[in-house]
């Protein structure tokens, strides 16, 4: 990993070199007290300011030159000090437990998976925040620390009482979103690509695999087995599986299905 020419004030500022420097600064923006840099290859005032701040904070330069030279002191420090150890992409959900107030009351509830009329239906929404790219060796990686946020999108038919049994059934559907996003977060933490474009391609592929395909398979199997919560035996089996899955942060399967 190296740059071919200087980046920063008075530098040549080629697009590949500038992107590399931006990605090397981003893991440290909290410590530097600056905003995340767009890894766009444009060495504008924010990037030059980030270099200057890096030199002031980490290299204790009294007269920073706002420039990163190939093989220079600033570049070598950046290359030898990647993202702080232990930082990862993780997932969190809010609320943790569903309650009646989390459900939108509607006249008719249709399960889009099979077109059946139900008393309630719960899906989830999520957001993956753009924390900028970082460098790991010669590859780009997702910015850390980062957290995928998960929240419910739930409906209940007007007049239906959300008793303990119905809430437990809907809670499972919501929890699927959390455990799958947690598995996705693990994959985003270790994802690497030689280019920013390659990293974005990996992101789209991982989201398609986990959020679209695997969620659909798990939700469908759960509803078939439990008959939308009417089969108490399988309802308990699946709830026990979910309890064990949530308790294991490294879980990558539930009931034989990949997360």
């Amino acid at each position: 990993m190296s740059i071919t020419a200087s980046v920063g004030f008075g530098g040549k500022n080629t697009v590949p070199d500038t992107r590399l420097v931006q990605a090397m600064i981003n893991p440290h923006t909290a410590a530097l007290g600056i905003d995340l840099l767009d890894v766009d290859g444009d060495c504008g005032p924010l990037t030059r300011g980030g270099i200057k701040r890096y030199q002031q904070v980490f290299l204790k330069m009294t007269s920073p030159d706002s420039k990163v030279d190939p093989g220079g002191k600033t570049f070598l420090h950046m290359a030898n000090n990647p993202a702080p150890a232990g930082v990862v992409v993780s997932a969190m959900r809010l609320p943790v437990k569903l309650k009646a107030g989390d459900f939108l009351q509607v006249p008719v509830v249709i399960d889009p998976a099979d077109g059946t009329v139900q008393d309630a239906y719960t899906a989830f929404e999520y957001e993956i925040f753009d924390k900028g790219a970082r460098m790991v060796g010669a590859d780009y990686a997702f910015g850390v620390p980062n957290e995928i946020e998960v929240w419910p999108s739930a409906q209940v038919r007007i007049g239906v009482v959300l008793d303990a049994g119905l809430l437990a059934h809907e809670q499972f559907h919501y929890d699927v979103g959390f455990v799958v996003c947690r598995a996705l977060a693990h994959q985003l933490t270790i994802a690497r690509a030689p280019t920013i474009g390659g990293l974005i391609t990996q992101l789209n592929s991982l989201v398609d695999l986990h959020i679209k395909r695997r969620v659909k398979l798990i939700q469908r199997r759960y509803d078939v087995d439990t008959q939308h919560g009417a089969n108490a035996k399988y309802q308990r089996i699946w709830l026990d599986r979910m309890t064990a899955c949530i308790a294991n942060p490294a879980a990558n399967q539930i009931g034989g299905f990949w997360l």
Side-chain angles (χ1 to χ4, degrees), residues 153-208:
S153 176
Q155 299 178 341
V156 62
R157 182 165 53 84
I158 295 172
V160 169
V161 176
L162 282 161
D163 58 23
L166 182 55
L167 267 177
H169 181 78
E170 299 306 313
Q171 180 72 43
F172 182 96
H173 283 298
Y174 176 46
D175 287 342
V176 168
F178 169 65
V179 295
V180 170
C181 282
R182 189 176 63 178
L184 170 62
H186 293 164
Q187 294 303 307
L188 294 181
T189 299
I190 63 175
R192 306 285 185 267
T195 65
I196 292 293
L199 196 62
I200 293 173
T201 297
Q202 282 201 42
L203 170 63
N204 293 334
S205 178
L206 287 168
V207 167
D208 180 74

Side-chain angles (χ1 to χ4, degrees), residues 84-105:
V87 290
V88 298
V89 182
S90 57
M92 64 87 66
R93 56 193 164 142
L94 192 67
V96 174
K97 291 295 183 182
L98 294 175
K99 57 186 184 302
D102 296 317
F103 288 77
L104 176 66
Q105 294 194 12

